Amino acid sequence: MKNILVINTGSSSFKFQLIQMPTEEVLASGLVERIGQENSEIHYSSEGFSGTKEKEVANHSVALKAVTNLLMDPEKGVIKDASEIAAIGHRVVHGGTTFSKTTIIDEKVKKEIKSLFSLAPLHNPPNLTGIEVAEEVFPKAQQVAVFDTAFHSSIPKKAYKYAIPNKLTEEKNIRLYGFHGTSHKYVSEQAARILDKSDSKIISVHLGNGCSITAVENGKSIDHSMGFTPLSGLIMGTRSGDIDPSVIFHLVEKLDYTIEEVNELLTKKSGMLGLTGYSDLRDIEAEAQKGNRECQLALEMNVYRIKKYIGSYAAAMNGLDVLIFTAGIGENSSTMRKLVCDNMDFFGIELDEEKNNTRSKENREISTKSSKVKVMVIPTNEELEIAKQVQELVS
């Protein structure tokens, strides 16, 4: 038996699970959300205890140290000493062309992760912070990196290559990489298992503060909405998603923005935050219900973009068997799921509203019996998927 601590650091959140392998028993789990905001919350649960604490969490380093204290707390904790953790699996967003599989972390790996900061500015920096803090707190544990980009290594050249001079792809590795791969891999495999059908045509919609959508055919990723970085694709919490590149030139040449300011604008000040003043969908939905037109329009824009991708991926696969909703918004927002599935009968998508409005943490089907496409809500479990990959590597 090995205790594996899985650290999943998002752009504004920090999820963790301490999992005993190979039994897959979760000894403790939790979430630190709204990091960097005044209303940060720490959720923690272990056997016999579950609670939430409001506490200002300035950054991801503070978050990890708070979690570590809980794991070793005399009353709430599940371990007495850091040496009881054999390995730590770190979710790392961007692996570039260097990393296409799970990798043991050393100084060279950390240096390469740092070199990719510019490609995933909201994620790779906190990912590396998590690694460095974990090395301090758990010096005897094996540190392992699991890369979001790995699942998308199966995307064919016709889909990952940009229509730019060939040498930029071949020599500078400018291409589509894809992200949220651990999540898309887990939920698509869950759907295939439930359906007992490995040759399914699946569209996986991962909706959180970061949002992405993947076409999965016969268990392999064949296209994905994010590209060279996690900036493109769907409208996200603070990221713009798809935008005409000429807008960047206009901002720099005509409006006197610096390149750094444009990067800040598109990654941290756009998306739902730029449209509404809020980055959290819960706030936006609440304001929309009150009649806030900016929030209503932002939801419409968000849904419209998702529908366009569903249509294009259904065309690319020449069909669709399953539509999956996952991640924080996808699993919990019945409103978003309904808006996405409305007026999609051309694709054979019919939502059962009663099933959609039923809250559950289990895998579930929310389409009608007559729906040609099965619509499912599958809670992502990136942590378990990471623990499995870590176990395979260090066992």
Side-chain angles (χ1 to χ4, degrees):
M1 298 290 184
K2 289 184 178 179
N3 291 335
I4 297 176
L5 176 62
V6 177
I7 294 175
N8 184 346
T9 309
S11 55
S12 63
S13 63
F14 177 93
K15 291 199 294 184
F16 69 92
Q17 286 188 12
L18 182 60
I19 304 175
Q20 188 177 77
M21 297 296 287
T23 62
E24 300 182 6
E25 180 185 357
V26 178
L27 303 179
S29 64
L31 165 69
V32 184
E33 59 180 341
R34 300 186 179 187
I35 293 173
Q37 302 177 34
E38 293 182 359
N39 54 347
S40 305
E41 291 183 342
I42 301 175
H43 308 271
Y44 175 82
S45 63
S46 58
E47 186 175 0
F49 177 83
S50 180
T52 298
K53 181 180 181 181
E54 290 188 6
K55 178 182 178 180
E56 185 175 347
V57 180
N59 53 48
H60 292 78
S61 179
V62 173
L64 179 56
K65 288 177 180 177
V67 166
T68 302
N69 290 336
L70 285 168
L71 290 173
M72 295 191 289
D73 184 273
E75 297 179 359
K76 307 168 188 175
V78 292
I79 58 173
K80 294 180 180 179
D81 187 82
S83 63
E84 294 179 42
I85 294 178
I88 299 178
H90 297 268
R91 175 204 178 202
V92 180
V93 166
H94 211 309
T97 56
T98 306
F99 304 108
S100 60
K101 59 183 180 181
T102 301
T103 304
I104 291 176
I105 297 170
D106 57 19
E107 291 302 316
K108 185 178 179 181
V109 170
K110 288 192 290 183
K111 186 177 180 181
E112 185 66 25
I113 291 171
K114 188 172 184 179
S115 75
L116 296 167
F117 276 10
S118 63
L119 302 186
L122 294 184
H123 294 88
N124 271 35
N127 292 162
L128 183 58
T129 296
I131 291 169
E132 292 173 339
V133 175
E135 286 176 329
E136 293 177 12
V137 179
F138 303 101
K140 295 183 180 180
Q142 185 73 71
Q143 308 288 333
V144 179
V146 180
F147 296 91
D148 266 16
T149 47
F151 179 58
H152 301 297
S153 61
S154 57
I155 293 177
K157 184 175 286 189
K158 66 180 180 182
Y160 77 65
K161 197 173 189 298
Y162 294 126
I164 56 177
N166 290 327
K167 67 178 182 180
L168 290 174
T169 305
E170 297 162 1
E171 298 175 12
K172 303 300 180 181
N173 299 315
I174 297 176
R175 49 160 288 180
L176 181 150
Y177 288 99
F179 302 92
H180 292 147
T182 306
S183 174
H184 289 296
K185 180 178 187 291
Y186 178 82
V187 299
S188 59
E189 288 178 351
Q190 287 286 302
R193 181 186 61 78
I194 293 167
L195 298 174
D196 194 22
K197 187 179 180 182
S198 61
D199 60 347
S200 299
K201 296 175 180 179
I202 296 171
I203 292 178
S204 170
V205 186
H206 178 111
L207 301 177
N209 191 56
C211 303
S212 68
I213 182 167
T214 300
V216 182
E217 188 169 13
N218 302 330
K220 296 185 181 296
S221 171
I222 65 154
D223 208 347
H224 178 78
S225 59
M226 290 175 167
F228 182 59
T229 74
L231 181 57
S232 64
L234 305 180
I235 296 171
M236 300 173 237
T238 64
R239 281 169 273 176
S240 65
D242 289 340
I243 192 169
D244 182 345
S246 295
V247 172
I248 298 171
F249 309 142
H250 183 77
L251 288 168
V252 173
E253 296 172 0
K254 303 297 183 183
L255 302 182
D256 297 324
Y257 277 71
T258 65
I259 290 297
E260 291 75 18
E261 288 171 338
V262 173
N263 184 55
E264 177 89 0
L265 176 73
L266 296 181
T267 59
K268 298 182 179 181
K269 297 180 179 179
S270 294
M272 300 301 270
L273 178 64
L275 293 171
T276 69
Y278 304 96
S279 62
D280 193 302
L281 192 83
R282 291 168 293 190
D283 297 328
I284 295 166
E285 287 187 359
E287 287 296 313
Q289 289 178 355
K290 295 176 185 176
N292 184 318
R293 184 53 191 152
E294 287 184 343
C295 290
Q296 292 170 348
L297 178 59
L299 289 175
E300 292 170 8
M301 291 171 64
N302 198 326
V303 167
Y304 182 71
R305 183 78 58 86
I306 295 169
K307 288 188 175 191
K308 286 206 298 183
Y309 270 95
I310 291 173
S312 65
Y313 288 167
M317 293 189 291
N318 191 29
L320 178 60
D321 297 312
V322 186
L323 177 64
I324 299 171
F325 289 96
T326 193
I329 294 170
E331 294 166 27
N332 297 304
S333 176
S334 58
T335 299
M336 281 295 290
R337 295 193 299 263
K338 181 182 185 306
L339 291 172
V340 170
C341 292
D342 276 351
N343 299 315
M344 294 284 274
D345 49 294
F346 176 83
F347 292 97
I349 295 173
E350 294 180 4
L351 195 69
D352 184 312
E353 292 204 23
E354 184 177 346
K355 291 180 181 177
N356 182 48
N357 291 328
T358 301
R359 297 187 66 85
S360 172
K361 294 184 179 180
E362 303 298 321
N363 297 338
R364 63 194 189 278
E365 201 173 311
I366 59 172
S367 47
T368 64
K369 291 183 179 179
S370 60
S371 180
K372 294 179 181 178
V373 172
K374 292 187 181 298
V375 183
M376 305 183 76
V377 178
I378 299 183
T380 190
N381 197 334
E382 294 168 290
E383 290 77 18
L384 178 56
E385 181 61 35
I386 290 171
K388 287 179 178 180
Q389 294 186 37
V390 171
Q391 170 75 2
E392 289 176 6
L393 187 64
V394 302
S395 60

